[in-house]
Amino acid sequence: LGALLKNDLRLLLRNVRPRQILFLSGLFLFYGLLFFTTEQYNENSVILVFASVIITGGFTLTYWQRVPSWDSEYYPLLMTQNLSYREYLDSKWWLIGLSVIISLIVSTFYLFFGWRIFAFIFAVAIYNLGLGTFITLYSGAYYYIPMKLNVKAKAFENTKALNLTQFLFAIPKMGLPLLIFWLADFFIGGYAGWLALVGAGILGLLLKNHILGHVAKIFKSRKYRTIEAFSKN
């Protein structure tokens, strides 16, 4: 696991395109300023959940949804190693979780806007850590567009990357936390919306082994299709 984690960190820090997305994701940490400073949005809890999804999950939404495409240049070689898909996905999961935790720590400056605002960020961060990570990895099983690590991304450079499958997966990634919060808040009220998000995240963490095992089976079933797609890179 340690070797895989080290390899992913090297890929992220040493290559042009991953660094480009890392910088973009850093900007998402300040996305909340567009909403938290506006009274009109401040009173809309669902919008605040949406902003919190971007703040704590920006890196997940922009970078990790492209697993395993980031490994496309050496994926066929990687698959010849004594490596199980479970180990492969475990390393990805830990790094996704780390990115959520770091985003949460950095976003503590939002306490300036009050405990209520930060409660949204904290609750969504727990949700992203527990459930959002798995949805991201699951969607990655259906994303096998080759990536050139040292070529900067340009607007409309790769329209194939905007496939229908990824668009459909964006719905639960962005919409599920909003739905969970809204249902709990509408029918129960009080702190129920925040507690529902935290509860969903904790449930995901408790079921981590089961969920990752299922996702690994999906990756394994699509192994040769993915290798074929990456070999055309």
Side-chain angles (χ1 to χ4, degrees), residues 7-224:
N7 185 64
D8 276 321
L9 288 173
R10 286 173 177 170
L11 184 151
L12 177 62
L13 298 175
R14 294 181 179 181
N15 295 281
V16 173
R17 195 161 185 176
R19 288 203 307 266
Q20 186 182 12
I21 292 183
L22 180 62
F23 174 75
L24 176 63
S25 302
L27 296 180
F28 281 138
L29 288 170
F30 302 97
Y31 188 78
L33 296 175
L34 299 175
F35 297 94
F36 302 154
T37 56
T38 305
E39 187 174 351
Q40 175 185 354
Y41 297 130
N42 240 332
E43 301 303 319
N44 191 321
S45 296
V46 175
I47 289 182
L48 296 182
V49 173
F50 174 79
S52 299
V53 170
I54 302 298
I55 292 170
T56 61
F59 190 53
T60 302
L61 293 169
T62 55
Y63 184 83
W64 289 114
Q65 70 168 344
R66 297 179 181 181
V67 170
S69 287
W70 291 114
D71 301 321
S72 62
E73 292 186 355
Y74 54 88
Y75 192 79
L77 175 62
L78 186 65
M79 290 298 102
T80 65
Q81 307 302 307
N82 185 23
L83 171 70
S84 70
Y85 269 109
R86 179 55 194 274
E87 292 173 308
Y88 177 77
L89 292 174
D90 258 328
S91 71
K92 305 297 184 185
W93 185 87
W94 279 104
L95 285 175
I96 297 173
L98 181 61
S99 71
V100 173
I101 292 172
I102 291 175
S103 296
L104 176 62
I105 294 173
V106 174
S107 65
T108 52
F109 72 88
Y110 283 111
L111 281 168
F112 176 80
F113 297 98
W115 283 101
R116 176 176 174 270
I117 294 296
F118 189 72
F120 282 99
I121 297 174
F122 179 82
V124 172
I126 300 301
Y127 166 85
N128 277 333
L129 185 63
L131 276 187
T133 52
F134 300 119
I135 296 174
T136 298
L137 288 176
Y138 185 85
S139 68
Y142 299 89
Y143 189 98
Y144 34 80
I145 307 299
M147 301 289 291
K148 295 181 179 179
L149 296 178
N150 283 302
V151 176
K152 287 188 176 181
K154 299 178 182 178
F156 311 111
E157 175 187 25
N158 189 357
T159 55
K160 291 189 300 181
L162 303 174
N163 57 60
L164 178 61
T165 302
Q166 285 298 308
F167 177 77
L168 292 176
F169 273 115
I171 297 175
K173 287 177 186 177
M174 302 296 295
L176 186 57
L178 275 66
L179 179 63
I180 291 174
F181 179 89
W182 181 83
L183 288 173
D185 187 60
F186 181 80
F187 288 105
I188 303 175
Y191 301 112
W194 297 329
L195 292 176
L197 288 171
V198 172
I202 292 176
L203 179 62
L205 291 174
L206 292 175
L207 296 175
K208 171 180 175 286
N209 289 333
H210 176 76
I211 298 175
L212 273 186
H214 174 70
V215 176
K217 290 180 181 178
I218 301 295
F219 267 80
K220 187 174 181 179
S221 70
R222 305 178 69 85
K223 175 179 178 178
Y224 295 105

